Amino acid sequence: DEGDVRWSPMELLAIDHALQYSFVGSRDTVRRGLERFLALTGVDELMIAGHMHDHEARVRSYTITADIMASLGQAAATSSLNQ
């Protein structure tokens, strides 16, 4: 039964570390996560990975992420023009 899984402190630490830059949820949740990540790292390019079996769901997820990244890029371009 999966409800009986018990994680050791080291396993929990490893899971937290692996997922610290995972953005899961609504469009707004993912956008906020990406905004924080980009501000923290200053990177100008990302590799996105989605581990979904359903092809349509994976394409939809990538489309949403691409839309978010495009809007963030436009916001950054607009912000730099206003400085």
Side-chain angles (χ1 to χ4, degrees):
D1 185 283
E2 291 180 21
D4 293 336
V5 173
R6 304 231 193 285
W7 301 98
S8 73
M10 286 299 285
E11 289 170 323
L12 289 173
L13 187 62
I15 291 167
D16 284 344
H17 178 73
L19 296 177
Q20 74 183 19
Y21 297 119
S22 293
F23 314 117
V24 180
S26 70
R27 181 183 297 263
D28 289 337
T29 299
V30 172
R31 180 185 178 88
R32 285 190 304 272
L34 286 169
E35 285 173 327
R36 282 192 305 270
F37 180 78
L38 293 170
L40 176 69
T41 63
V43 299
D44 61 1
E45 184 174 271
L46 295 175
M47 279 191 206
I48 306 294
H51 303 285
M52 293 159 273
H53 178 71
D54 182 88
H55 178 71
E56 288 181 23
R58 187 171 49 256
V59 169
R60 183 171 185 276
S61 177
Y62 288 148
T63 300
I64 291 169
T65 304
D67 291 346
I68 292 169
M69 291 302 295
S71 71
L72 291 176
Q74 286 182 325
T78 302
S79 174
S80 66
L81 289 174
N82 292 329
Q83 292 180 358

